[in-house]
Amino acid sequence: MPEFRKKINLIDVGPRDGFQNVRTFIETQTKLAIIDGIYKAGIRDMEVTSFVSPKAIPQMADAAEVARKVIDIYPDMRVIALVPNLRGAQNAWDAGIREAACVISASEAHNKANINRTIQESIKGLAEMIRTFPGLKVRLDVATAFGCPFAGKVPEEDVLYLIGEAAKAGVDDVTLCDTIGVANPKQVQSLVKKVKEEFPRFPLALHFHNTRGMGLANIFAAIEVGVEHYETSVGGLGGCPFAPGSEGNTATEDTVNMLGSMGYETGVNLEKLLEAVQYTKEHVEAPLTGKMLGVTASSCANVSGKA
Ligand code: COA
Ligand code: ZN
């Protein structure tokens, strides 16, 4: 075993980013069972649902119930929910949520398609949300930080501008999201360096869709420039219904495997996690894109993220 085991923090966003892209309604009990499986594998940070309009995403109609139960059952879990607006923040707060990810796109066209607001309107909304709920920790999810399905290239300055406005509004942290999986490792390092330089107070998390198979390469590239927090998804579920070309996230199990085999500590037991992936495969009508489920149990044991 390597002497140096650096801790990398994984936030599983499958119950939010994954489920939102599944058309058939997943029963609340099934959602909770998958969350339980992820928890039992050792994940302690999870985005469990989103408080969005059920007209926009019918899958999230049970957000309050999921949030309440998860908060009740797992007192040691860091429970995060996505909120797009003040109404969502109110509903999340009422359900007991104390950490919210507020999504705003770096590209105007995707923000309009996703949230039906201009970026300026969203920034105003973010500031209002933080003023209204001072007890709510709010992180900014920068959607389309590396490319937009409508506008194509997204200039780094646009991402830095949005983070700057969110910082003024009082956000606690930032996640850069590659919503459609177009980022490449060099681009990731370039943007991360600039964000870290301009906003050193944010721990910074990254979120890579794996549409072009570059998720793990991008995670590795970001580790090399000092990022320690990654949003990944059980089974590789994921996608934005309002972003054509957005496909699965980088799978949590593949990330645990890569990091474990490199000597990083994720605190996640890969074999247990694969049980959650198997359950997800059997109960959710969506293709899973993670690779590790097909790998034999014996080889899993050698690369488990847990010492
Ligand atoms: N939760 C529940 N209902 C909400 C809501 C929320 N957070 N925000 C608005 N609504 C309701 C309103 O009450 C209204 O209901 P009504 O038609 O019964 O009166 C309806 O939704 C429309 O409200 P409006 O403020 O005009 O919103 P909109 O139509 O401009 O939609 C969003 C804006 C943000 C609510 C909607 O685009 C949304 O929920 N998007 C989700 C995007 C998402 O989750 N993307 C994937 C994650 S990146
Ligand atoms: Zn996503």
Side-chain angles (χ1 to χ4, degrees):
M1 192 200 294
E3 283 171 27
F4 173 63
R5 288 182 77 87
K6 190 176 177 191
K7 179 103 180 77
I8 295 288
N9 171 235
L10 298 181
I11 303 151
D12 200 296
V13 295
R16 193 280 296 173
D17 204 9
F19 295 171
Q20 77 184 13
N21 213 31
V22 179
R23 290 238 167 86
T24 317
F25 187 74
I26 306 164
E27 293 303 323
T28 307
Q29 283 313 318
T30 304
K31 288 174 178 155
L32 291 169
I34 293 170
I35 290 169
D36 189 62
I38 302 169
Y39 175 88
K40 285 192 172 132
I43 297 267
R44 290 293 175 274
D45 306 74
M46 219 185 292
E47 210 165 283
V48 298
T49 189
S50 53
F51 289 84
V52 294
S53 162
K55 282 181 193 151
I57 313 242
Q59 185 65 258
M60 295 296 161
D62 59 357
E65 189 183 350
V66 169
R68 279 204 184 92
K69 291 218 162 100
V70 171
I71 290 164
D72 185 43
I73 300 170
Y74 313 102
D76 64 338
M77 197 200 286
R78 175 178 166 216
V79 182
I80 308 165
L82 183 135
V83 301
N85 57 13
L86 194 61
R87 167 89 182 272
Q90 180 72 61
N91 292 347
W93 180 266
D94 292 347
I97 292 289
R98 294 297 175 263
E99 183 168 356
C102 181
V103 58
I104 306 179
S105 307
S107 71
E108 200 67 75
H110 183 260
N111 204 57
K112 197 77 187 149
N114 195 34
I115 304 295
N116 195 26
R117 299 281 180 276
T118 64
I119 292 174
Q120 282 309 326
E121 286 166 342
S122 283
I123 291 168
K124 264 182 76 179
L126 175 67
E128 194 184 359
M129 187 188 295
I130 292 170
R131 274 198 308 274
T132 312
F133 297 98
L136 185 67
K137 219 175 152 188
V138 180
R139 55 188 304 116
L140 170 71
D141 272 8
V142 182
T144 64
F146 299 93
C148 169
F150 310 112
K153 204 168 152 27
V154 174
E156 289 179 332
E157 300 72 59
D158 293 3
V159 177
L160 295 169
Y161 167 77
L162 177 55
I163 298 173
E165 294 302 299
K168 280 188 229 157
V171 295
D172 294 289
D173 197 5
V174 171
T175 305
L176 303 176
C177 304
D178 183 17
T179 309
I180 52 167
V182 287
N184 69 67
K186 277 197 170 169
Q187 183 189 9
V188 168
Q189 292 191 334
S190 168
L191 185 59
V192 163
K193 280 183 193 160
K194 287 184 182 136
V195 172
K196 277 182 158 290
E197 206 173 280
E198 251 189 72
F199 307 99
R201 81 176 167 92
F202 294 133
L204 191 64
L206 296 180
H207 172 126
F208 296 115
H209 284 262
N210 199 33
T211 320
R212 290 164 184 77
M214 291 199 277
L216 286 180
N218 286 331
I219 289 177
F220 177 66
I223 288 175
E224 293 281 287
V225 288
V227 179
E228 295 176 355
H229 306 271
Y230 296 91
E231 295 184 355
T232 57
S233 170
V234 63
L237 280 178
C240 173
F242 306 102
S246 154
E247 276 180 26
N249 269 291
T250 309
T252 307
E253 63 273 22
D254 295 358
T255 310
V256 168
N257 172 63
M258 179 181 85
L259 296 178
S261 61
M262 288 167 71
Y264 289 97
E265 176 60 75
T266 60
V268 183
N269 181 304
L270 184 54
E271 284 162 82
K272 284 217 175 93
L273 182 61
L274 289 175
E275 288 171 22
V277 178
Q278 179 65 36
Y279 183 90
T280 306
K281 188 179 174 184
E282 285 164 12
H283 291 83
V284 172
E285 281 182 44
L288 298 189
T289 54
K291 300 287 182 207
M292 288 309 295
L293 197 61
V295 177
T296 63
S298 61
S299 60
C300 292
N302 295 332
V303 292
S304 169
K306 200 154 198 159

